[in-house]
Amino acid sequence: MALMHRTTIMLPTALKLGAQRRARELRVSLGDLIRSCLESAVTGGASKAPRADPFLSDREIFTGPVPRDISRRHDDHLYGDWP
């Protein structure tokens, strides 16, 4: 890991709140988010910016009827009966 230097920056309230919200969405620390954004800005976009996990980002909830054996026979319910 690279040597880290502590730095203080001044942010407008709306920007800080937005950055905190985005960091929570990505499940990373605010420091990690700021470092990845700065790296991207400095390198012209060639950064290892954190990406949201698509599985954890899914906010959809199915509220329809569910078979009682869904967990035991999920493949059958998803793909149909296999020979």
Side-chain angles (χ1 to χ4, degrees), residues 21-28 51-61:
R21 183 177 54 253
R22 185 66 179 144
R24 274 193 308 275
E25 289 169 2
L26 295 173
R27 298 180 187 268
V28 298
R51 289 179 173 58
D53 183 325
F55 182 75
L56 297 175
S57 299
D58 188 2
R59 302 282 188 241
E60 297 299 320
I61 299 173

Side-chain angles (χ1 to χ4, degrees), residues 9-35:
I9 59 172
M10 303 295 290
L11 299 173
T13 301
L15 181 58
K16 182 172 183 199
L17 293 174
Q20 288 172 323
R21 183 177 54 253
R22 185 66 179 144
R24 274 193 308 275
E25 289 169 2
L26 295 173
R27 298 180 187 268
V28 298
S29 70
L30 180 59
D32 284 340
L33 177 71
I34 292 170
R35 280 187 292 277

Side-chain angles (χ1 to χ4, degrees), residues 34-79:
I34 292 170
R35 280 187 292 277
S36 68
C37 290
L38 280 172
E39 183 179 347
S40 180
V42 169
T43 61
S47 150
K48 297 175 268 170
R51 289 179 173 58
D53 183 325
F55 182 75
L56 297 175
S57 299
D58 188 2
R59 302 282 188 241
E60 297 299 320
I61 299 173
F62 180 73
T63 58
V66 178
R68 295 185 73 116
D69 62 351
I70 190 75
S71 60
R72 190 179 36 176
R73 296 187 56 222
H74 61 276
D75 283 337
D76 293 336
H77 292 293
L78 289 172
Y79 308 114

